[in-house]
Amino acid sequence: MLSDQQFQECLAELQYPKVHDWELFLESHGFKIYRRTMPNTALYEYKALGHYPDVPSDLLAEVFTDLEYRRTWDKNMVGFKRLEHGVIHYTTKFPWPLSPREYFYELTMHEPKEGHFCVSSQTVGKTRAPDGTLQNLHSTNNYKTMVTLVPPMTSSPSTSTGSGHKMFKLPPLNKSVRVEEYRQDVVMVPSEDGKGCYVWFGYFDDPKGHIPSSIVNWATKSGIPGFLKAIQDACLRRAAQNKASASGPVRDRPATPDSGIEA
């Protein structure tokens, strides 16, 4: 989850983007998408800044966190399960002939200011220091059996380490490739007319495996714009559903007795 300072920095970026050390990767659906290499890796992290003119911030936050609804609009989603300690097990398709990827992550949403939302998700067991150094919190088990949840939480002696961290037992490996490091932060701010919102979107994913850079670039160039458009369409459908539910069922109105014309 973003700190208060990071949240304020994201808000400032929506007005004055800080992109001097970022590469403009592409523009799509009202968003500018930037990338830069992560320290000590050959991988990219991504940042998108843009505006949905027809999606309010609260609706976008609702759809972002509704994984059951996501089944209906994300064509790459295989499925998800909610596990103990609030951990989510999420599986997604990868382009053929690559195997599906599975994630174990924590999802949080908070509203630091009315109408201003921050939705964050991060894989359990790994985090990065400010200088980009990867910090493993799964000891020597190679992310196969058990990890330590971050940040530290109160736990019982039977499920914690000596430092009071809560432990999470990973399910057995399957045919999916287990992604050990992923994070996503989305900041949503109401537009001036209240009908839309401005969005700051940060993303990093280490998909594992020896994937050629050409495939990674192709998947990213199609995947990010596709996701931005798909979630916008999903929000508009959800808004239409909410409106229909609020108005109730449509009934035939009775005819006017003296004219025979429907009222």
Side-chain angles (χ1 to χ4, degrees):
M1 186 172 70
L2 295 178
S3 66
D4 290 340
Q5 180 179 345
Q6 290 172 322
F7 179 76
Q8 293 301 324
E9 290 171 354
C10 293
L11 294 183
E13 269 209 85
L14 289 172
Q15 292 186 308
Y16 305 104
K18 295 173 60 177
V19 294
H20 62 279
D21 57 345
W22 293 74
E23 168 196 356
L24 180 59
F25 184 53
L26 58 90
E27 296 185 50
S28 179
H29 303 294
F31 282 78
K32 289 186 176 181
I33 301 161
Y34 302 87
R35 71 177 185 178
R36 68 180 179 185
T37 54
M38 287 287 288
N40 307 314
T41 76
L43 300 168
Y44 287 101
E45 64 174 328
Y46 297 87
K47 175 169 65 176
L49 306 172
H51 174 227
Y52 286 127
D54 49 4
V55 178
S57 58
D58 58 344
L59 177 60
L60 183 59
E62 175 189 327
V63 171
F64 246 110
T65 54
D66 189 341
L67 296 180
E68 193 63 49
Y69 180 49
R70 185 165 181 162
R71 294 179 190 270
T72 69
W73 61 266
D74 188 344
K75 61 183 178 61
N76 293 318
M77 181 179 183
V78 176
F80 81 98
K81 293 180 180 178
R82 297 189 184 276
L83 307 178
E84 61 178 349
H85 308 317
V87 176
I88 294 171
H89 178 206
Y90 186 95
T91 308
T92 186
K93 300 175 186 175
F94 258 48
W96 185 90
L98 302 176
S99 300
R101 262 53 178 175
E102 66 173 357
Y103 302 74
F104 294 89
Y105 69 90
E106 294 172 289
L107 175 66
T108 61
M109 180 177 73
H110 68 297
E111 188 178 4
K113 183 180 177 182
E114 185 176 1
H116 295 57
F117 295 90
C118 180
V119 175
S120 298
S121 51
Q122 179 173 312
T123 41
V124 297
K126 288 196 175 186
T127 186
R128 283 188 181 266
D131 64 357
T133 303
L134 183 63
Q135 299 174 327
N136 295 317
L137 298 175
H138 53 78
S139 186
T140 59
N141 65 55
N142 296 321
Y143 211 78
K144 293 179 180 178
T145 58
M146 190 170 291
V147 298
T148 304
L149 300 184
V150 288
M153 295 181 292
T154 302
S155 56
S156 64
S158 61
T159 60
S160 64
T161 65
S163 60
H165 289 62
K166 181 171 285 188
M167 302 302 295
F168 172 71
K169 185 176 181 180
L170 292 163
L173 293 170
N174 56 39
K175 294 182 179 180
S176 299
V177 174
R178 184 164 291 177
V179 174
E180 299 179 18
E181 190 184 6
Y182 147 82
R183 63 170 172 77
Q184 177 179 273
D185 297 292
V186 190
V187 172
M188 309 157 217
V189 179
S191 57
E192 293 81 2
D193 61 7
K195 297 179 180 179
C197 65
Y198 297 99
V199 180
W200 185 100
F201 179 94
Y203 184 88
F204 173 74
D205 186 345
D206 180 356
K208 309 296 289 183
H210 302 289
I211 305 175
S213 59
S214 59
I215 293 181
V216 173
N217 285 337
W218 171 79
T220 306
K221 283 187 174 180
S222 60
I224 293 179
F227 177 81
L228 293 172
K229 183 64 168 64
I231 196 168
Q232 180 184 26
D233 292 342
C235 287
L236 297 177
R237 286 195 297 273
R238 171 59 64 84
Q241 293 167 1
N242 292 343
K243 184 177 180 180
S245 298
S247 62
V250 178
R251 295 186 177 90
D252 292 334
R253 303 176 74 181
T256 305
D258 57 349
S259 66
I261 301 175
E262 288 191 350

